[in-house]
Amino acid sequence: MRTPAALTAALCSLCSTLAFVPRTRVAPRVAAPRHATAAMARRAAATSDGEWDAIVIGSGIGGLSCAAILANAGKRVLVCEAHDRAGGVAHVYEVQGFTFENGPSLYAGLSPQASPNPLKHVFQIIGEEPEWLTYDRWGTAFPEGTFAAAVGAKDFKERILPTYGGPGAAEQFEKLMKRVEPLGAAIFGVPSAAVREDAFAVLTLGRYGLSLATLLVVGPAPALSRPFSEILDECGVTDTFLRNWLDMICFLLQGATTKEAPTTLMAYMLSDFYCDGVVLDFPRGGSKSIIEALQRGVAKNGEVRLNAPVAQVLEQGGGTTGVQLENGEILKAPVVVSNADLWTTRKLIPQLPKLTAYFDHQASRVTRCDSFLHLHVGIDATGLPMEPSETLPAQWASLDDWDRGVDAPRNLVLVSMASMLDSSLAPEGCHVIHAYVPATEPFEDWEQFVSDGGYQSKAHREAKDEAVAVLWRAIERYVPDVRERVKVELPATPLTHRRFNRRDQGTYGPFLPATGGQLMGHATPLPGFYVCGDSTFPGIGVPAVAASGMITAHSILDVRAHWANLDKIRIR
C-alpha cells in the first residue's frame, strides 16, 4: 500500500518536513509480512555466503543516507560509486590548497538538535554528524540594489520591504504569512522519516496522528498541491518586488517558480525561513564533512567502493540478484537501490517489459531541469573581510533582469565564499569562491562541442569563456576587483557536469509541475529493486534527497527497526 493519498499530496513536494517531539512509545508487536520474512531469509543466506544484504548504486546524499540507515540496522551494505570520490553532485576537490565546493552551498535546519530537516534526522538515526558553523545573513544583488538581509522575518519586514517594496507590501506579506503558518505548522508535525511504502505506513505515520489530522483539516489535498501563485492571488499579494522575491526563493530551493511549485512547498519554506531565531548552517570542513559523516555510518556494517561504475542491474526468477560492474565483476545482493537519475537508471535495468514500461511512463511525466555553469576561483584576500558581514556576506544571489524571469538562462547566479565561514577551505590570506547558475543552462547549447573536438576544442573553450562572463559579473557585485586577485580559475559547463557527475544531459534532475501529481516512489515492479534520490519522491534538493534515501531504507527495513529509528529523531 502506498502512503495515503491525502498525505502524499501534502508531502510529495516538500524539501523537508518538521514534527513535534513525541513521547517515547513501545513498538507494537506486529508480525512481519510473509514477503518480508522471505526477504530476511534470503539476506541471511546471502550473508552466510559472503554476499551483501543490499547494494546501492551511487554515493550521492540520497544513496548514502539510504545505505547508512540500512547499515545502522545491521544490514551488510555495499555502495558502488563510479567517481573517484564519494558525494555525487555534492563532492569537493582540492587545487593548490583551495577546497572547491562542487554542489550545494546553502544549508539550514542542521545545527539545532530539534529540527525539520530530513538530513538531520538521518544523522540522528546513524549517530554521525559534522560540526556545524552558523551565520545569519544572506546577500542579494538585484536591479533595485545590493543588500545583505538577516534571515528571519524581522529584517525582511522592517527594512527590506519598506525600502524595496511598494505601498502595502509589508501588510501583504503579513496576510500571506497568517494564511500559510497554520499549514506550515501542521506540515512540521509529520516527518518524512515516518513514511514507508507498504501497509505498515499506517503504524509509523499513525505515531504522528494528531499532526496528520491537523494537516488534513487546515489544507485539503487539492489545495495543498495547487500552485502557490493561486494562494498569492487569494491573499491579495500584488506588490511586484514581493512576488519577484518569492519567485526567487522558490526557484533557488526547489527549481520551480511560484506558478509551478505546490502550496505545500512554499508553506513549509516560508514558515521555516521566517520563524524567530532561524540561522543558516555550514559544515566545518565543507560539504565533504557531510559525505564523510554518512560514509562513517555506512562503514559500521558496509563499505563505499569508488571507481566502481555499475553496468547493469541483475535479475533472475523475477527478483533482483545484484549488479554487474563495467569491468565485468558481479556483485550479489537480494536488494539493489539506484541513486542514479531516472534516465541513467533506465539504462541499467533488466529489459523486462513491465519494468521498462514503468520507467518509460515515469520519464514521460517529467521534464529534465537544465544544467549548470560553474566558476571556481581562488583569490588573494588582502584587504577583504575574513568573516561574513553586511558589506561582504558569505553567500549572495545576483539577478540581472526580473522581467526575463528567475528561471531564464544566465540571469540568476548564486555565489558562495565558503572560506568566510571556514578559513581552512583556502590557504592563509586567501578566499575560495564558487559561482553558478541554478540549473538554468540548456544542455542542447553545448551538445555540438562533443562532436567538434570535445572538452579540449578551441570552440568549446571560447564558448566557455563567453558563458562564464555572467558568473564573473555576479562575483564583482560584491568583490569588484576579483579578477585582479585570481590565483586559481576553473570554469565548467554542462559537459563537465555530465562527465564527472554522470548526470544524463547534465541535468539537475526531473521537474514535475504542481498539477502533474507526484514524482515516482521508491519501490519498482522488480522485487528487491528500489530507487532513491532527486528523481523520486519528494524531489530535488539536499533535504529532499536525504528524505528519499531515508524513506527507501525504511521501506526495506521491517517496522520494528523503523519504529526504533523514529525514537532517535528530535523534531521541533
Side-chain angles (χ1 to χ4, degrees):
M1 183 185 77
R2 297 283 179 177
T3 306
L7 176 64
T8 298
L11 294 179
C12 67
S13 58
L14 293 179
C15 285
S16 54
T17 50
L18 282 161
F20 58 84
V21 181
R23 288 181 292 180
T24 303
R25 304 181 185 180
V26 177
R29 295 181 177 272
V30 179
R34 193 171 300 173
H35 69 81
T37 303
M40 287 188 285
R42 288 196 303 271
R43 284 194 290 268
T47 301
S48 65
D49 293 336
E51 300 174 359
W52 302 96
D53 294 328
I55 295 173
V56 177
I57 303 170
S59 66
I61 288 177
L64 288 177
S65 294
C66 178
I69 290 174
L70 291 175
N72 184 78
K75 308 304 178 187
R76 297 182 66 250
V77 185
L78 174 65
V79 179
C80 294
E81 169 55 49
H83 202 2
D84 61 4
R85 63 201 67 196
V89 177
H91 74 265
V92 304
Y93 62 99
E94 297 79 27
V95 178
Q96 297 181 27
F98 293 94
T99 299
F100 293 111
E101 301 276 337
N102 191 57
S105 57
L106 190 65
Y107 300 95
L110 291 164
S111 57
Q113 283 305 301
S115 168
N117 197 312
L119 181 58
K120 181 72 173 187
H121 298 164
V122 172
F123 288 140
Q124 289 173 332
I125 288 170
I126 67 174
E128 300 288 346
E129 188 166 358
E131 177 186 352
W132 297 106
L133 306 169
T134 63
Y135 59 109
D136 65 356
R137 198 167 292 276
W138 187 65
T140 49
F142 294 154
E144 295 91 337
T146 299
F147 58 89
V151 296
K154 182 175 171 48
D155 196 42
F156 185 66
K157 290 191 296 185
E158 296 181 2
R159 185 169 68 98
I160 303 305
L161 281 179
T163 302
Y164 299 98
E171 290 77 11
Q172 292 176 22
F173 182 72
E174 284 283 358
K175 184 176 180 180
L176 175 64
M177 292 303 295
K178 288 180 181 179
R179 174 70 172 84
V180 301
E181 280 174 349
L183 178 56
I187 290 170
F188 296 165
V190 187
S192 56
V195 179
R196 58 184 295 124
E197 294 185 348
D198 61 17
F200 290 110
V202 172
L203 291 175
T204 53
L205 288 168
R207 178 170 175 154
Y208 307 93
L210 179 60
S211 293
L212 176 57
T214 304
L215 176 60
L216 300 181
V217 169
V218 300
L224 294 173
S225 61
R226 62 178 172 162
F228 188 66
S229 58
E230 295 182 13
I231 301 296
L232 298 181
D233 294 338
E234 287 180 10
C235 292
V237 179
T238 58
D239 183 77
T240 300
F241 176 81
L242 180 55
R243 291 197 71 130
N244 284 338
W245 176 272
L246 293 173
D247 247 358
M248 181 197 68
I249 292 291
C250 185
F251 187 77
L252 291 180
L253 296 181
Q254 186 65 12
T257 67
T258 56
K259 293 180 180 179
E260 302 159 330
T263 294
T264 42
L265 167 68
M266 287 301 284
Y268 164 75
M269 290 197 306
L270 292 179
S271 299
D272 192 43
F273 194 77
Y274 290 111
C275 69
D276 293 333
V278 66
V279 295
L280 297 172
D281 304 316
F282 190 77
R284 186 180 294 279
S287 295
K288 66 179 179 181
S289 296
I290 292 176
I291 303 306
E292 288 169 353
L294 293 172
Q295 286 183 277
R296 291 195 299 272
V298 176
K300 292 178 179 180
N301 207 31
E303 66 177 82
V304 177
R305 186 178 300 182
L306 304 178
N307 298 304
V310 170
Q312 61 179 320
V313 175
L314 302 178
E315 171 272 338
Q316 186 175 0
T320 309
T321 59
V323 301
Q324 182 174 4
L325 303 183
E326 288 184 359
N327 64 7
E329 182 182 0
I330 292 177
L331 303 168
K332 295 184 178 181
V335 172
V336 173
V337 180
S338 177
N339 184 216
D341 64 61
L342 169 61
W343 301 276
T344 300
T345 300
R346 173 64 176 81
K347 299 171 185 176
L348 303 179
I349 60 176
Q351 296 305 297
L352 303 174
K354 188 175 181 180
L355 184 63
T356 56
Y358 172 76
F359 274 87
D360 290 343
H361 172 66
Q362 298 300 331
S364 71
R365 298 171 58 241
V366 301
T367 57
R368 292 176 182 84
C369 289
D370 285 328
S371 191
F372 296 86
L373 293 171
H374 292 279
L375 178 60
H376 293 103
V377 186
I379 66 169
D380 182 341
T382 301
L384 294 178
M386 300 307 292
E387 295 181 353
S389 65
E390 186 166 4
T391 304
L392 182 58
Q395 285 129 352
W396 63 90
S398 175
L399 183 130
D400 288 340
D401 185 357
W402 286 117
D403 291 337
R404 288 180 59 204
V406 295
D407 53 350
R410 305 183 193 178
N411 189 33
L412 177 63
V413 176
L414 292 182
V415 183
S416 172
M417 294 182 67
S419 53
M420 296 194 75
L421 302 171
D422 183 352
S423 61
S424 70
L425 300 179
E428 186 175 356
C430 295
H431 275 315
V432 61
I433 303 176
H434 177 205
Y436 59 99
V437 298
T440 56
E441 183 69 10
F443 182 80
E444 54 266 24
D445 292 350
W446 297 87
E447 286 184 287
Q448 60 177 307
F449 299 114
V450 176
S451 58
D452 290 346
Y455 308 101
Q456 303 304 319
S457 69
K458 179 181 179 182
H460 181 243
R461 291 196 301 271
E462 291 175 347
K464 184 191 301 185
D465 291 342
E466 179 183 352
V468 299
V470 66
L471 306 182
W472 282 114
R473 291 197 303 271
I475 299 172
E476 288 167 343
R477 296 292 293 270
Y478 273 100
V479 188
D481 61 346
V482 62
R483 300 192 203 210
E484 301 169 15
R485 297 173 174 272
V486 171
K487 290 178 171 289
V488 178
E489 173 187 344
L490 299 168
T493 72
L495 296 184
T496 318
H497 194 67
R498 181 183 67 171
R499 177 187 180 190
F500 287 101
N501 296 321
R502 292 208 168 198
R503 302 292 295 178
D504 187 78
Q505 295 189 15
T507 184
Y508 178 45
F511 169 70
L512 184 68
T515 55
Q518 70 174 79
L519 291 168
M520 65 190 295
H522 305 95
T524 74
L526 178 62
F529 181 53
Y530 297 81
V531 289
C532 72
D534 57 34
S535 293
T536 66
F537 171 93
I540 289 170
V542 169
V545 296
S548 171
M550 184 162 45
I551 293 168
T552 304
H554 286 153
S555 298
I556 294 169
L557 295 173
D558 63 66
V559 72
R560 292 177 183 274
H562 187 175
W563 193 277
N565 284 345
L566 293 179
D567 287 336
K568 299 177 182 179
I569 66 174
R570 295 293 176 262
I571 312 166
R572 191 169 64 201

